[in-house]
Amino acid sequence: MNNNQENQSFASPGQKIPPQLVLILGGARSGKSAFAQDLAASSGRTVAFIATATAVDDEMRERIARHRASRPKQWHTLEEPLDLAGVIRRAYKLADVLLLDCVTLWLGNMLLQESGLDESDDDDKQQEKLRRTRNLFDERSLKQIEALLSVIQAAEPNKTLIVVTNEVGLGIVPAYPLGRIYRDTLGYINQRLAKAADRVYLMVAGMAVDIKRLQEELTI
């Protein structure tokens, strides 16, 4: 990524541009978070980091600790597992550049809350919860994404939101119903965010490909 690419979503001194959305997606360990942090740091502006992860076990606690240690100490940090629109609205008051990491974990939090699945449920009860989840999950999740986009549109000029998400649709079809619901819904959400975004970067082996620009160049 060259300096021109880095600065496309950030205003020059004295310049006013509409609020920007930058989407960064890729597979596991593709370099998404590192690229997003480098992009935010390159702006030279105030940054607020929005974390959606929850410390559900020791492995996740260690992962969260590593991410915290990798971020500049002067960045603001907000932790919110569910209410994306609300936390972005608060973060806009703290900083000019927001980094949301990540939509993937947020959607997992939403799915667990929505399904209400419990290991003690018998098979019939789990199947009933899955049927109810399938009917409501897409609609409610996408409504939250639309609320997020509305907050971006109403933001002050020169605000930039960087969103990290996973591309989970390139592997095998999940063997269990809840996994298929999750994969499909995240695919719809990624499509909606990509359509609204000013820049979309696909991460491959630590390298960023500006796929929004590629699409623009191929348009006839």
Side-chain angles (χ1 to χ4, degrees), residues 1 22 51 93 114 151 154:
M1 181 180 65
V22 179
K93 298 177 181 178
E114 196 70 48
V151 172

Side-chain angles (χ1 to χ4, degrees), residues 68-87:
R68 283 175 179 163
S70 71
R71 298 195 293 268
K73 291 182 172 55
Q74 68 270 24
W75 286 11
H76 302 278
T77 298
L78 297 86
E79 297 181 351
E80 174 52 57
L82 295 169
D83 183 12
L84 293 186
V87 72

Side-chain angles (χ1 to χ4, degrees), residues 36-95:
Q37 290 189 30
D38 288 346
L39 188 62
S42 74
S43 71
R45 301 161 69 194
T46 52
V47 177
F49 186 92
I50 302 170
T52 60
T54 56
V56 295
D57 53 36
D58 290 341
E59 189 273 337
M60 185 57 75
R61 278 188 283 274
E62 291 177 5
R63 186 181 295 241
I64 291 172
R66 287 197 302 271
H67 276 275
R68 283 175 179 163
S70 71
R71 298 195 293 268
K73 291 182 172 55
Q74 68 270 24
W75 286 11
H76 302 278
T77 298
L78 297 86
E79 297 181 351
E80 174 52 57
L82 295 169
D83 183 12
L84 293 186
V87 72
I88 290 169
R89 195 177 289 111
R90 298 197 306 273
Y92 274 141
K93 298 177 181 178
L94 299 173

